[in-house]
Amino acid sequence: MSELRITAVEPFILHVPVTGNEIADSTHRISHWGVVGCRIDTAEGISGYGFTGTHAHLSSDQLITACISRCYTPLLLGQSAHDHARLWQTLARSPALQWVGRAGITTLAHAAVDVALWDIVAKAAQQPLWQRLGGAVRESVRAYNTDIGWLSLSDDQLLRGAKQAVDQGFTGIKIKVGSAVERDVARVRAVRQAIGDRVTLAVDGNGKWDLPSCLRFARATADYDPLWFEEPLWYDDVQAHAALAASGLVPVALGEQLYTTDAFAEFMRQQAIHWVQPDVTRMAGITEVLRVCDMAGGWRLPVAPHAGDMSQVHLHLSWAHPACQVLEYIPWIAHCFTDPAHVKDGHFVKPMLPGCGTTPTEQAWGQYRQALS
Ligand code: 0YR
Ligand code: MG
């Protein structure tokens, strides 16, 4: 077996435009998706790529790449990528960072490194990640379309997009809420009428409302059968989520803003979560998200990974992990990769190239790259 000695870590920042130049949810308005991470080279000539997902603010993106180059790279050079689980622990417990950054930018940077290491070992084994994880456990991975549901779309645009997605074969969509309760109830009603009752319809509040608003909204939309109410409340407020979950009005989904297994564990213990939505780009990579998927399986909770990676990596997890039920589709960055996530007839096509699906094309590398300082 080759050693896969790490010889270099090369950080990168790509800023890729979103659909229609700008989108908004209840808390963010963005024009680009940030693909921020690193290439890790080995003595054998195999390189791995990993990245986190950001809202493309260069100032903070540069903090992530600085964290990779200044804090993590010295811990990686000369090590073997085969030891990725040990290296995960080394990075998570690094003396320089544990005290100042157990979550946040450090975790996003760690995510990029962890994914790049998995990419290397999967490429060295000449296997797509799902195979490396033990093989496909399902016949298909159902996609749901988020890109038709932005809060910045007019009611007309929203209905047109929803119908178009269904015509294209999507069996699930998600729309953003978190503006005014009445307006959002009306949009949910109109979308449900437009798509019929065979398509799953999820709603996503991106953490905007308080508990009374959420309860009012959930009561008013119960008849339209939402698959889940995502990030209804402030991300860290376990008690309020538990109260909404206990109301029995709507299944609660969350996780895209959680950094650690412990955070998920607390939501599960308090019965504050029905749909588990970890993200390899916010948690410390594949290594940590696998723990959450396993834990969700233990609680008999379904996983619907959040698409911070725009489903380049989660696609592999979704094929290989029994707890994964459905996967988010947002197409913004797919064209940037040699093995783009692709949906056909409402289902993701199984990726077949070795690795994690994180290798950028030369064109994307040239076109979207930003300065590191
Ligand atoms: C835009 N998906 C989400 C985007 C999206 C956010 O702010 O980052 O809406 O990640 O909530 O479920
Ligand atoms: Mg969301």
Side-chain angles (χ1 to χ4, degrees), residues 144 174 176 204 206 230-231 256 277 306 328:
Y144 76 84
K174 183 165 86 186
K176 296 294 181 177
D204 186 354
N206 291 97
E230 175 171 329
E231 294 199 313
E256 69 178 76
Q277 301 182 306
H306 169 252
E328 183 162 26

Side-chain angles (χ1 to χ4, degrees), residues 6 34 86 147 285 288 304 313 356:
I6 296 169
R86 180 178 65 75
D147 203 33
E288 182 85 323
V313 183
C356 294

Side-chain angles (χ1 to χ4, degrees), residues 63-307:
L63 293 178
I64 296 169
T65 51
C67 183
I68 292 172
S69 54
R70 292 171 62 162
C71 301
Y72 290 146
T73 299
L75 303 173
L76 295 166
L77 293 176
Q79 303 292 320
S80 166
H82 287 299
D83 291 347
H84 57 90
R86 180 178 65 75
L87 291 171
W88 189 95
Q89 199 71 12
T90 303
L91 267 50
R93 301 288 177 265
S94 94
L97 289 178
Q98 186 174 341
W99 188 263
V100 299
R102 217 160 43 246
I105 282 165
T106 55
T107 325
L108 272 59
H110 192 174
V113 170
D114 183 74
V115 172
L117 293 175
W118 277 94
D119 192 38
I120 291 170
V121 294
K123 282 172 175 166
Q126 299 194 6
Q127 292 178 329
L129 177 66
W130 59 262
Q131 206 164 31
R132 176 94 195 152
L133 291 173
V137 297
R138 50 180 49 87
E139 290 300 307
S140 65
V141 172
R142 189 167 81 92
Y144 76 84
N145 190 326
T146 293
D147 203 33
I148 53 84
W150 305 109
L151 218 42
S152 45
L153 299 172
S154 70
D155 295 359
D156 270 0
Q157 289 170 318
L158 177 69
L159 291 179
R160 227 178 310 129
K163 278 191 274 199
Q164 217 168 55
V166 173
D167 288 345
Q168 284 165 4
F170 281 97
T171 61
I173 61 170
K174 183 165 86 186
I175 74 169
K176 296 294 181 177
V177 298
S179 60
V181 172
E182 282 67 29
R183 172 186 183 239
D184 291 339
V185 170
R187 279 160 74 94
V188 171
R189 182 189 310 122
V191 168
R192 175 52 87 199
Q193 279 163 1
I195 62 176
D197 41 353
R198 302 244 301 273
V199 175
T200 63
L201 170 59
V203 297
D204 186 354
N206 291 97
K208 189 73 169 186
W209 282 334
D210 58 10
L211 183 57
S213 303
C214 287
L215 287 167
R216 199 146 57 84
F217 173 81
R219 234 172 251 123
T221 50
D223 283 351
Y224 312 120
D225 195 22
L227 180 63
W228 67 61
F229 187 178
E230 175 171 329
E231 294 199 313
L233 297 143
W234 181 254
Y235 322 114
D236 301 314
D237 188 343
V238 181
Q239 284 312 311
H241 285 91
L244 182 62
S247 76
L249 291 167
V250 66
V252 171
L254 63 95
E256 69 178 76
Q257 297 273 338
L258 301 186
Y259 293 92
T260 61
T261 300
D262 298 271
F264 278 97
E266 189 56 16
F267 277 93
M268 291 176 192
R269 268 185 224 115
Q270 303 295 334
Q271 300 186 41
I273 183 170
H274 296 111
W275 283 87
V276 182
Q277 301 182 306
D279 189 325
V280 296
T281 70
R282 179 166 305 273
M283 308 194 76
I286 294 161
T287 305
E288 182 85 323
V289 166
L290 283 171
R291 292 195 267 261
V292 172
C293 291
D294 288 345
M295 190 167 66
W299 286 86
R300 303 283 160 212
L301 295 172
V303 174
H306 169 252

